[in-house]
Amino acid sequence: MRMFTTRRLCSPLSMMFVLALLVLGSRAADAQVNPLWDHYKVYLTPPFPGSPINIPVVLTDQFGIYNHNVLELEMFMNPTQKQVLGPAGGTYPIHDDITHYSWWRITPQPFGAVVAATNQFGDQTLHVHDAVYLLTPALKNNQNFGGLPPFKNHYKCYFCDGQPINKQVLLTDQFGQWSTTVTFPRFFCNPVDKHVVDPYPDNDYPILDPNQHYVCYEFQPEDGTPYMATVLDQFTRLIGYFDTPPLPLHPARYLCVPTYKYGFTESARYTWGRLKLLYR
């Protein structure tokens, strides 16, 4: 199991950055989370056959441009209905039951930023660091549709730290139901433009919705029920993964919540000239 540590920015000036992001962004933030954006339940997978695949990509997101190698499939996520339990609860249904996502580990990128974001759990300040995953649209269990994955956003995911949510939820996906408590944010995912370096075909995948981000939270207890699924995405097509047995999926450990990002500042530089605000 991966161990997480919390990084804190405790200097007075860094706190001023956070306050500036929250004050300037909060005026428009609440209206920016599209109710049609889906939630996802994330399952761990065992090592993928033929890993690491070492396919070079150039990823361009709102934090910059970086070269990576795509290495191993480590997680897979299903669209899920989320029901928040309790007096202030609500139900967030699945709108697109076709689009899934493969989590491919990439060569890491050191990074640091403070991000101001909002989602259905409220406004949050996240300490974002170290890019570690590329999320690729995928199909599950031989959904055909011409044998092509959905044409949707790709995502570049970074480790993140923040305050726990501590909300009880009931998650219902295509495998079943799971009651659990959402706790700490663990990943922050930016929409990303993906360019697969030649000689690989079909190599450009633009950002379709620059506003749609995800924060992925740990939940406890995790769902240890074993499931199986075949996975089809761009990379499994490239390496010819069509006829191998289904992949085991368990445990489920994270809930990815659609999120709007309304500001960030790189945490490695403490000057007001580096303050960056994004309004879309």
Side-chain angles (χ1 to χ4, degrees):
M1 180 182 299
R2 189 186 302 277
M3 299 300 294
F4 294 93
T5 59
T6 300
R7 302 185 182 184
R8 300 183 183 275
L9 299 178
C10 55
S11 73
L13 192 51
S14 67
M15 292 305 299
M16 292 172 67
F17 276 125
V18 173
L19 291 173
L21 290 173
L22 292 174
V23 171
L24 293 175
S26 62
R27 292 172 296 182
D30 289 343
Q32 302 298 333
V33 179
N34 188 326
L36 298 180
W37 294 344
D38 277 315
H39 293 65
Y40 290 91
K41 184 179 178 184
V42 183
Y43 296 79
L44 277 64
T45 70
F48 186 77
S51 297
I53 61 175
N54 282 315
I55 294 178
V57 294
V58 180
L59 301 181
T60 305
D61 67 359
Q62 295 160 338
F63 294 150
I65 304 173
Y66 208 84
N67 295 322
H68 295 274
N69 275 9
V70 178
L71 301 176
E72 295 179 310
L73 178 64
E74 293 192 348
M75 292 187 279
F76 185 77
M77 68 186 194
N78 266 345
T80 187
Q81 175 177 285
K82 182 189 77 177
Q83 180 182 355
V84 181
L85 304 179
T91 299
Y92 302 89
I94 296 171
H95 298 283
D96 177 3
D97 62 358
I98 300 301
T99 302
H100 298 64
Y101 278 92
S102 305
W103 285 59
W104 291 89
R105 184 167 58 86
I106 55 177
T107 47
Q109 169 198 350
F111 183 75
V114 181
V115 168
T118 191
N119 60 32
Q120 290 152 344
F121 290 134
D123 291 343
Q124 293 158 66
T125 300
L126 302 171
H127 301 259
V128 175
H129 45 94
D130 299 357
V132 282
Y133 286 105
L134 171 64
L135 271 58
T136 303
L139 297 173
K140 183 184 74 180
N141 290 340
N142 298 316
Q143 296 162 308
N144 193 349
F145 300 98
L148 296 175
F151 191 55
K152 300 286 186 176
N153 271 356
H154 291 63
Y155 289 92
K156 184 176 179 179
C157 293
Y158 301 75
F159 286 131
C160 76
D161 306 310
Q163 294 300 310
I165 299 302
N166 294 331
K167 295 285 188 180
Q168 287 187 302
V169 298
L170 178 65
L171 303 179
T172 305
D173 68 359
Q174 295 158 332
F175 292 133
Q177 290 188 331
W178 189 253
S179 181
T180 189
T181 300
V182 178
T183 59
F184 288 93
R186 295 307 189 191
F187 300 100
F188 180 80
C189 301
N190 265 340
V192 69
D193 180 284
K194 182 183 77 177
H195 174 78
V196 182
V197 177
D198 290 336
Y200 296 98
D202 303 323
N203 58 358
D204 288 305
Y205 296 82
I207 294 171
L208 301 180
D209 187 343
N211 293 328
Q212 186 177 2
H213 300 67
Y214 279 91
V215 176
C216 300
Y217 301 87
E218 187 174 338
F219 58 75
Q220 292 292 339
E222 63 185 29
D223 182 357
T225 309
Y227 301 102
M228 305 287 287
T230 57
V231 174
L232 175 65
D233 68 6
Q234 182 209 10
F235 296 118
T236 61
R237 290 178 71 245
L238 283 178
I239 63 177
Y241 176 59
F242 292 103
D243 300 319
T244 55
L247 289 175
L249 303 178
H250 70 90
R253 186 172 293 165
Y254 305 109
L255 170 67
C256 291
V257 177
T259 297
Y260 178 75
K261 178 182 74 186
Y262 55 87
F264 77 92
T265 180
E266 293 184 20
S267 59
R269 300 179 177 91
Y270 301 117
T271 63
W272 283 103
R274 297 291 183 178
L275 183 63
K276 301 176 181 179
L277 294 175
L278 298 180
Y279 293 98
R280 300 282 183 180

